[in-house]
Amino acid sequence: MALGRHSDFNRLWFGQTASNFGDKISLLALPTLAVVVLDGGAMEVGVLGALRFLPFLLLAPIAGLVADRFSRRTIMIVADLGRFLALGTLPLAFALDSVTMVHLFIVAGVTGCLTTFFEVSYQSWLPKLIGTENLIEGNTKLQISRSVAEAVGAGAGGALIQLLGAARAITADAFTFLISFVALMFIRQRDVRERAEGRKASAKTELKEGMRTLFGNPVLRGLFTANVVVNLGAAMGDALLIVYAYKVLGLSPGQVGIAFAVMSVFVIVGAVLSETVSKHLSVGRLLVITSVVLGIGYILVPTGGAIGGFIGLIVVQAVIGFVSPMFDIHVLSLVQGVTPNDQMGRVSGTALSAVYGALSLGYFLGGALGEGIGLTGALAVAGAVAIIGGLTLLGGPVAKIKEMPKGEPGEGPDADGPSPGLVKAEETGEAPKVNA
């Protein structure tokens, strides 16, 4: 692969792999510390969970503005160092017998805010670091790291907590951010934000500029709409799956764990095969097909469960796991490939805020529908929402894109319509192809 000898990317990948595993440790260790050590309950655990995701909803556009004004690599370095120091205060406070719930909330909030700035900066810097022609490969490798961490990180974190205790396990998480910090320090390529001479645009003006790019570019607008709607449907479905498995299928926690483990394995398989599948289907068709199949998967949960019970649920989970990373990888890669790099932070930040808002709303709507119309009907609605999200792509240029754009980031469609890199169907008799 083209990135096999790209030392800077490999350093980034190594650091991200380490911190992904660390995230899974703290995902379990922080609530464990709250419940076991501080005698917290459902409310405290809920607040900790909210503090992980609310910063994306509230701060991502601001993080995008900062990423477009300053060096993205520097922002990532500061975020890693900050997360290391914030998490490091917990085992120290535990050793001094002074850890409190407020301290836990502050650490969760600080790490959530710093993660928001890191993620927006990383997504904005990657196209410059590796080039648009390598985006699918780069995002695939990073997605594989996240998927492997998802599959085995929680189990490893549980074992670490059992062995060392929650507070000491958090120390391990803190050091994963230190590893990522060191990896970033050794990346040779620098990311200097060059601002036009005499340019003194206000933050408000620059945020509006990013919004105009996102919603004025037909490709970006189509990807944004589909991604938000598909994630809304997927969150609704995810909120219902576990309840359905326990209350309708009557499965044991062990069986549910196996079903979700199988899904995690197929997430890895889907990520590995993502680039190969896109070459056979085209990027546009892959996005439509994977979102539709994802929606069908949620609709078929009751059918699969009724026919095969435990086995049926496993099959459906495998299908959902297989297509999800393919959709995510290609949406992100295409956004990075067609967005002007000097606006990548603002576009990415606005999109992330909306996606996390859709996820939050989806979980709420899924639960409300499950109570209101029943689990089977609610799963059907969730699947239909995801399908509709994918079908929205058919009304725009995204479904006709054959392959990723090449060249400098942002050389895809511009805000006024298709760029020369998109060959019009009426002129060639074929579907448009990026930089064909």
Side-chain angles (χ1 to χ4, degrees):
M1 290 188 176
L3 294 179
R5 295 177 179 238
H6 196 300
S7 58
D8 281 346
F9 172 78
N10 288 329
R11 292 184 182 102
L12 173 66
W13 186 21
F14 175 75
Q16 281 298 282
T17 300
S19 62
N20 282 330
F21 275 91
D23 278 341
K24 301 311 167 191
I25 297 172
S26 63
L27 186 62
L28 187 59
L30 287 177
T32 300
L33 191 61
V35 174
V36 176
V37 177
L38 300 176
D39 197 29
M43 176 60 72
E44 286 77 11
V45 172
V47 171
L48 283 174
L51 288 171
R52 291 178 62 88
F53 300 114
L54 272 178
F56 280 96
L57 182 60
L58 302 176
L59 295 179
I62 298 172
L65 176 64
V66 174
D68 283 343
R69 287 186 168 194
F70 303 99
S71 164
R72 293 153 185 171
R73 172 180 171 272
T74 300
I75 295 169
M76 293 162 67
I77 288 171
V78 171
D80 271 340
L81 184 59
R83 288 184 290 183
F84 166 70
L85 294 174
L87 286 166
T89 64
L90 284 174
L92 179 61
F94 181 78
L96 297 174
D97 197 25
S98 61
V99 64
T100 64
M101 195 68 72
V102 172
H103 185 181
L104 211 58
F105 290 157
I106 292 173
V107 170
V110 168
T111 55
C113 292
L114 291 172
T115 297
T116 302
F117 278 84
F118 185 97
E119 287 294 319
V120 172
S121 297
Y122 132 71
Q123 290 188 13
S124 305
W125 187 34
L126 191 65
K128 274 289 187 183
L129 182 69
I130 63 176
T132 55
E133 68 277 7
N134 295 315
L135 279 173
I136 291 182
E137 182 185 344
N139 282 318
T140 295
K141 288 182 173 180
L142 290 162
Q143 177 63 51
I144 290 171
S145 293
R146 285 190 291 270
S147 301
V148 172
E150 192 75 37
V152 303
L160 199 61
I161 292 169
Q162 182 69 35
L163 182 65
L164 302 176
R168 293 185 182 90
I170 291 172
T171 306
D173 181 18
F175 274 97
T176 63
F177 290 117
L178 187 61
I179 292 171
S180 178
F181 166 82
V182 172
L184 287 168
M185 291 294 291
F186 277 93
I187 290 179
R188 290 189 294 268
Q189 182 174 322
R190 295 296 180 261
D191 177 51
V192 180
R193 309 273 15 100
E194 295 182 359
R195 299 176 58 78
E197 186 177 352
R199 181 181 177 185
K200 296 181 180 179
S202 66
K204 183 178 179 180
T205 299
E206 292 196 2
L207 284 171
K208 286 182 178 180
E209 182 184 24
M211 296 281 282
R212 283 196 299 270
T213 298
L214 176 59
F215 295 108
N217 182 318
V219 171
L220 291 176
R221 184 173 62 245
L223 289 169
F224 173 83
T225 302
N227 198 24
V228 168
V229 177
V230 169
N231 275 282
L232 176 66
M236 292 169 64
D238 288 343
L240 298 161
L241 271 174
I242 292 181
V243 182
Y244 189 89
Y246 284 130
K247 292 197 171 182
V248 178
L249 299 181
L251 301 181
S252 68
Q255 289 174 312
V256 172
I258 291 172
F260 276 83
V262 170
M263 182 181 72
S264 297
V265 170
F266 273 87
V267 167
I268 297 171
V269 173
V272 170
L273 296 179
S274 179
E275 187 171 8
T276 301
V277 173
S278 70
K279 289 178 180 177
H280 287 85
L281 289 178
S282 83
V283 171
R285 289 174 185 168
L286 180 140
L287 289 174
V288 175
I289 291 172
T290 52
S291 55
V292 169
V293 172
L294 176 68
I296 291 173
Y298 287 112
I299 293 172
L300 291 180
V301 167
T303 304
I307 295 174
F310 176 46
I311 300 301
L313 180 64
I314 285 179
V315 172
V316 172
Q317 288 283 75
V319 172
I320 292 173
F322 183 71
V323 299
S324 295
M326 293 188 182
F327 180 83
D328 293 339
I329 288 168
H330 284 82
V331 166
L332 177 57
S333 299
L334 201 50
V335 168
Q336 291 170 328
V338 302
T339 303
N341 194 256
D342 64 342
Q343 298 182 42
M344 187 65 224
R346 283 163 285 168
V347 169
S348 177
T350 302
L352 277 175
S353 178
V355 167
Y356 273 88
L359 290 172
S360 302
L361 178 61
Y363 278 105
F364 172 77
L365 288 178
L369 281 174
E371 292 288 336
I373 66 176
L375 295 174
T376 299
L379 280 165
V381 173
V385 171
I387 291 172
I388 290 170
L391 294 180
T392 61
L393 295 172
L394 296 175
V398 175
K400 300 173 183 177
I401 295 175
K402 290 187 175 180
E403 62 183 30
M404 284 293 301
K406 296 179 175 62
E408 286 296 311
E411 289 187 352
D414 59 30
D416 299 319
S419 73
L422 288 170
V423 183
K424 296 182 180 179
E426 60 267 27
E427 295 175 359
T428 64
E430 299 178 352
K433 182 176 181 180
V434 176
N435 291 335

